[in-house]
Amino acid sequence: MNRVVVTGMGVVTPVGNTVDDFWDSLIAGRSGAAPISSFDASDYPVRFAAEVKSFDPSAFLSPREGVRLDRYAQMAVVAAGQAWTESGLAVEDTHRAGVVFGSGIGGLRTVVDEHTALLEHGPRGVSPFMVPKLMPNGAAAAIAMRFGLHGPNFAVASACATGAHAIGEAFRCVRTGLVDAMIAGGSEAGLTPLALAAFARMGALSKRNEDPTAASRPFDVHRDGFVFGEGAGALVLESEDSALGRGAGILGEIAGYGASCDAHHATQPDPEGRGAFAAMSAALADAGLAPHVVDHINAHGTSTPFNDRIESLAIKSLLGVEAKRIPVVSTKSQTGHLLGAAGAVEAVATLSAMRAGVIPATINLTDPDPDCDLDHVIDEPRDQMVDVALSNSFGFGGQNASLVFRGYR
């Protein structure tokens, strides 16, 4: 079995469209939440979100290519392009490299726009590019075409666990020797009037319209829902032999991956946290590590009443008395919830924290919920060396994924 290392990272997020800008924002405690600018939300019960700002795909996509991709796929190609460039990878056998890249929703913006075109202009008003633009596997296909990769290529769709599942499945492809390298991650650009109305109707979103930057408050007793976000995150995964053989810079190691299903409810987690516990436990077992060696947890931490309490319970079940000494952070407090992109962007945040020896703070956590009594990093970042970290992603449908990262040595 191969050791699997990370040689490139890329992001497009509400708080920065490069890894450096993203990390600087996390350390500075900046929030990406603001009143919605992409459409008029004045009549909606929720009027703010965490939108990506100043997004320019031209560095990796020509105008002709861009018009054939939904916004979620454009973001995916840009994030993957950043990761690919950093990795310096030049694949000789293109069948030995592939892509696993997912989206929880896919090209929803395309669906909405083309339905409007149909109603206004009839069948001939619908774009011939509609089907490839809306496909959830459109991003994975576009990335493979952009870099000429002929190895395994597929999309993962597991709601908010998508990005982590994609990385985990790509990890398995490299570890078992099926390929030498993979691009993996997740992307989401579902912020449309339809989706905003739907999430608001189900009561999932914070309604702090007067103070958007304080709306995402994971583990806080006054949390009232998540902040709808968009973005993309990507990693280049490579076998250790491949990376060392070409003298690549190694950013960290993926040591384990665990996946589970609550099989309990479409939108609410198992009340005992059994699914979350199983995913974390399986990831550590896969890495051959005991729970007590974990130095840091990047929590799913959505800022919803159910998730944060149940995730805290699962962490305490996993770690026992050790739970309250392990620093926990939710970067969703700053980025909002990026849905299918969340796990991938949070993997970048976790690796960045390990490399910098600094754990960013969970902003807006001013009054911790007594049921979420963990060692939350609050007020300001914490200087701490991290050798082993867990990154959690739990999705609607009860689908759970956990990744174990460790410093490479």
Side-chain angles (χ1 to χ4, degrees), residues 133-157:
K133 287 178 72 172
L134 68 85
M135 299 186 309
N137 65 314
I143 292 166
M145 287 185 277
R146 178 70 178 78
F147 301 108
L149 306 181
H150 296 95
N153 185 294
F154 58 95
V156 173

Side-chain angles (χ1 to χ4, degrees), residues 12 50 85-86 105 118 131 142 156 229 261 265 290 300 375 393 403-404:
V12 177
T85 299
E86 182 178 31
I105 301 175
L118 174 66
V131 172
V156 173
C261 183
H265 190 275
H300 187 52
D375 180 18
S393 296
L403 298 167
V404 176

